Amino acid sequence: MRRLSDGVEAALHCALVLAGLAPGRVLPGKSLAELHGVSETYLLKHLRALAAAGIVDALPGPRGGYRLSRAVEAITMLDVVEAIDGPGPAFVCREIRRRGPGKTSDPCAYKADCFIKRRMMAAETVWRDALRAQTLADLLRDGETQIDPRNKQAVAEVVDKAQR
């Protein structure tokens, strides 16, 4: 439907890593940044957005870090997308039909929404519903079968050393 920011990808990957933490444990943002090969400053901005949206808890202090704030079944892909990219629509109608030589001076011609806008908004509804129907639990199930065992082991080792 629309191009999502790189932050959405990073946020989803971080949420999946946090989903694997033992109860009561946290993972520092620095460790998440190193694990994903992104700058800490960049990732912390997105982790703050996830915290503001109630997706993760941010625990301050030297033993602090991040953890999921609710069960994986209760966090949808749309929750993460909207936390990072905002809830606004992907398509914004600028009413260009009212400009240029094709415009009309009849005000009744513009009483109904533009038909292009209506179709774009309908498509966005389908897209958002699809993201709303998929949770972190679904992604975890995918990862169980689609992530190479060596990659799982490497991530587990990093998380085991870094979690608090």
Side-chain angles (χ1 to χ4, degrees), residues 62-127:
R63 302 290 300 157
Y66 296 88
R67 65 181 177 210
L68 292 182
S69 61
R70 32 188 220 254
V72 292
E73 297 82 10
I75 301 172
T76 70
M77 290 180 69
L78 183 62
D79 292 334
V80 175
V81 168
E82 289 184 342
I84 302 302
D85 282 355
F91 179 80
V92 178
C93 182
R94 305 277 186 226
E95 282 292 339
I96 65 171
R97 66 186 177 153
R98 295 184 184 209
R99 296 183 245 160
K103 69 181 179 190
T104 180
S105 58
D106 178 6
C108 292
Y110 304 116
K111 283 189 176 181
D113 274 344
C114 170
F115 61 89
I116 293 172
K117 175 185 177 183
R118 284 194 312 266
R119 289 193 179 265
M120 292 299 286
M121 298 312 288
E124 182 158 342
T125 298
V126 171
W127 175 76

Side-chain angles (χ1 to χ4, degrees), residues 140-156:
L140 286 171
R141 281 190 293 276
D142 290 346
E144 289 172 5
T145 60
Q146 297 177 32
I147 298 174
D148 182 272
R150 292 172 298 220
N151 291 47
K152 287 181 193 177
Q153 183 60 36
V155 170

